[in-house]
Amino acid sequence: MTDIPSTALKGESKPHHLANLDFAVLQQCIHCGMCLPTCPTYDTTKLERNSPRGRIALMRNIAEGHLDVTRAFGEELYFCLGCLACETACPAGVNYARMFEEARADIEDAGVLRYAKRDFVRAVMLRFIFAHPLALKALGRLLRLYQVSGLEWLVRKLRLTALLPADLRELEPLTPRIQPDFSDQLIGPVESPAKPGYRVGMLTGCVQDLVYPHVNRDTVDVLLANGCEVVTPAAQHCCGSLHAHNGELTLAREMARKSIDDMERAAGSLEHLDAIITNAAGCGSHLKHYDDLLEHDPQYARRARLWSHKLKDIHQWLAEIGITPPQTTGGSQPSTINYQLPVTYHEACHLCHGQKITQQPRTVLKSIPGLKLVELPESTWCCGSAGVYNITQPEMSHRLLERKLDNIAKTGAKVVASANPGCSVQLEAGARERGEALEIVHPITLLARAYRKGGEHS
């Protein structure tokens, strides 16, 4: 099932994570091939090894001891986007996400991809910056200073980026705009509507906190308008999704424990919350599996199960409780958002494939009077962001971004709703590169605007 010769896969390292994975997970794949046309890498290369089926065959052989973890295997698993479109297509219910993370953990333990620059970047970003909230915010403020001081403009004007190494030069246009205020400056520890009916915890994320803190503020406003008291821990740790997706499962478990502790300190107990809300698709897909991540932890297993039970994507939660329709100031007529051009919706992979949430965001958008939703061709096709994929695999990432932007252009929409910060950063960078005036906006922000226009505020 693979184009990688077995001789290239033998003799480098023995697996640990895949070998200890429940074999029933590895045996789910029936090799039917229904995943093939949904896989962006296979669609591009038409090579079996670049398909979910081919990768699963490799992982199974490694777990059974027929093959060893090698550099060729490592490169293949990091060529995978982890978009999970294969899970949606699979008739056998294959848990590709679990195998994918365990395989990458084996790759990192084996050290088959190690070299000095990669080790340095991973140590700084995964084990320091994204493991310590204060370090992440400090980096954000430094980047903000660089952007607003005029230094960024001068560097680009003088084309000093040409002096950077090629990989950094390609990354520079992707730099997101850091906002002046972060979530803890915009959101109070506890905010209550006039007539609370629910009590929820609010997760503010990492990239979301630095680049789109207004989306977090909008989410709280929408929750208030829908009768929810909102508890938001001021100091929140990274959820650990970046760590888990990049083979750092031990650190991902540490981040999960800290996230649970953060919310328990703020709310008193997880039992005191009706739901824990996330508005970032990639984070949400990982957050919902804390129960699997901590299933063998005697101190956290029960709390992790409760966490996963209560974890809700914001669109999912609103659909469950029923969305309060936006009203005019007088409360008698619906307010109207008059977009001159239609709105289209890009489906983040880890929302539609990872969490199987597709209709709820559309329900949110359709609840906004005056908003015309135009369906996006290939709406569930990956935009190429995929966590840090646009950094590690820039060529394939850019190819997918161009395909996504071409499909957006077909809709005629100048407003694109996107519910994942990584996708939003990717789409904004692509629009800038093309010189297109696209507004990339979270569906919840559009709903919050309608509430504000209608005079509804808790």
Side-chain angles (χ1 to χ4, degrees):
M1 283 298 175
T2 176
D3 295 296
I4 299 178
S6 59
T7 53
L9 293 160
K10 292 290 290 183
E12 294 198 17
S13 178
K14 300 296 181 183
H16 168 69
H17 296 275
L18 283 173
N20 290 332
L21 184 62
D22 185 346
F23 200 65
V25 176
L26 291 164
Q27 288 285 19
Q28 287 175 304
C29 180
I30 58 175
H31 306 289
C32 66
M34 291 186 68
C35 61
L36 300 183
T38 72
C39 176
T41 52
Y42 179 80
D43 180 75
T44 300
T45 69
K46 296 299 187 292
L47 295 175
E48 180 72 18
R49 69 169 179 261
N50 299 149
S51 74
R53 185 174 65 180
R55 290 166 181 141
I56 290 171
L58 286 176
M59 288 187 273
R60 183 183 294 176
N61 275 280
I62 285 172
E64 293 174 345
H66 302 309
L67 300 175
D68 292 332
V69 179
T70 65
R71 182 176 185 84
F73 177 68
E75 290 174 346
E76 181 55 54
L77 264 291
Y78 275 96
F79 185 55
C80 175
L81 288 141
C83 67
L84 306 184
C86 54
E87 286 196 353
T88 299
C90 181
V94 169
N95 188 351
Y96 184 83
R98 184 74 181 271
M99 288 186 280
F100 172 78
E101 291 185 354
E102 300 288 348
R104 282 194 171 182
D106 273 331
I107 291 162
E108 296 308 320
D109 287 351
V112 293
L113 297 180
R114 292 190 62 183
Y115 62 95
K117 181 179 177 181
R118 184 179 190 271
D119 289 350
F120 175 76
V121 171
R122 288 177 66 89
V124 172
M125 298 307 295
L126 292 179
R127 302 186 193 114
F128 181 65
I129 298 296
F130 279 95
H132 299 89
L134 292 179
L136 182 62
K137 289 189 175 183
L139 176 63
R141 296 201 183 283
L142 285 174
L143 189 54
R144 167 77 180 172
L145 180 63
Y146 169 74
Q147 291 173 344
V148 302
S149 66
L151 186 57
E152 179 187 58
W153 176 86
L154 184 62
V155 166
R156 291 178 175 179
K157 183 72 173 178
L158 298 178
R159 299 186 178 180
L160 297 180
T161 54
L163 302 176
L164 295 171
D167 51 354
L168 292 179
R169 188 166 62 248
E170 291 173 353
L171 285 177
E172 197 275 339
L174 287 173
T175 306
R177 313 311 298 175
I178 306 299
Q179 301 304 306
D181 298 315
F182 299 151
S183 300
D184 58 352
Q185 297 168 278
L186 301 175
I187 304 169
V190 180
E191 298 193 20
S192 301
K195 296 179 180 179
Y198 306 93
R199 188 171 191 255
V200 303
M202 173 68 192
L203 298 171
T204 53
C206 295
V207 174
Q208 192 88 299
D209 186 29
L210 270 60
V211 184
Y212 305 108
H214 61 279
V215 173
N216 289 331
R217 177 66 257 178
D218 292 339
T219 302
V220 171
D221 287 342
V222 166
L223 288 166
L224 292 171
N226 284 271
C228 299
E229 180 178 79
V230 185
V231 179
T232 309
Q236 299 190 25
H237 287 81
C238 174
C239 70
S241 62
L242 280 176
H243 306 88
H245 296 161
N246 287 279
E248 298 284 351
L249 288 180
T250 298
L251 194 49
R253 292 187 180 96
E254 182 181 336
M255 294 295 100
R257 295 184 191 102
K258 289 181 177 180
S259 295
I260 292 172
D261 290 342
D262 291 341
M263 189 60 70
E264 286 183 333
R265 277 192 295 269
S269 170
L270 297 184
E271 282 89 350
H272 297 164
L273 297 173
D274 295 300
I276 302 167
I277 304 298
T278 178
N279 56 19
C283 297
S285 184
H286 175 73
L287 287 159
K288 287 183 174 180
H289 293 96
Y290 274 8
D291 53 346
D292 292 333
L293 198 63
L294 299 175
E295 62 181 333
H296 300 302
D297 188 315
Q299 291 185 321
Y300 283 86
R302 184 193 66 82
R303 294 149 71 188
R305 287 194 296 270
L306 184 60
W307 171 283
S308 294
H309 175 70
K310 291 181 179 289
L311 206 291
K312 305 287 184 181
D313 173 76
I314 179 61
H315 310 91
Q316 176 187 19
W317 175 246
L318 291 175
E320 285 184 11
I321 65 174
I323 302 172
T324 300
Q327 300 293 326
T328 61
T329 303
S332 58
Q333 297 294 327
S335 61
T336 300
I337 293 184
N338 292 312
Y339 285 110
Q340 293 182 349
L341 291 172
V343 177
T344 194
Y345 172 56
H346 157 67
E347 301 195 59
C349 294
H350 281 83
L351 195 59
C352 64
H353 301 308
Q355 300 182 60
K356 306 298 184 263
I357 292 174
T358 60
Q359 188 56 47
Q360 296 92 325
R362 290 175 169 84
T363 299
V364 168
L365 291 169
K366 291 176 182 178
S367 74
I368 302 172
L371 187 149
K372 180 184 178 184
L373 179 63
V374 178
E375 287 295 336
L376 176 64
E378 297 184 337
S379 64
T380 62
W381 199 259
C382 185
C383 69
S385 173
V388 295
Y389 195 85
N390 52 5
I391 298 173
T392 61
Q393 302 283 346
E395 182 180 349
M396 178 62 72
S397 173
H398 192 265
R399 184 178 297 183
L400 293 170
L401 175 59
E402 288 295 304
R403 180 168 176 165
K404 180 65 65 173
L405 291 172
D406 287 345
N407 279 320
I408 290 172
K410 293 175 184 176
T411 69
K414 295 301 179 182
V415 180
V416 182
S418 166
N420 188 56
C423 298
S424 296
V425 168
Q426 175 89 335
L427 294 173
E428 286 172 353
R432 285 197 302 271
E433 183 181 25
R434 286 191 173 194
E436 295 181 0
L438 290 179
E439 181 187 10
I440 314 300
V441 60
H442 200 290
I444 295 300
T445 291
L446 295 175
L447 182 57
R449 290 176 186 174
Y451 283 138
R452 291 179 190 128
K453 183 174 181 179
E456 283 191 29
H457 192 68
S458 57

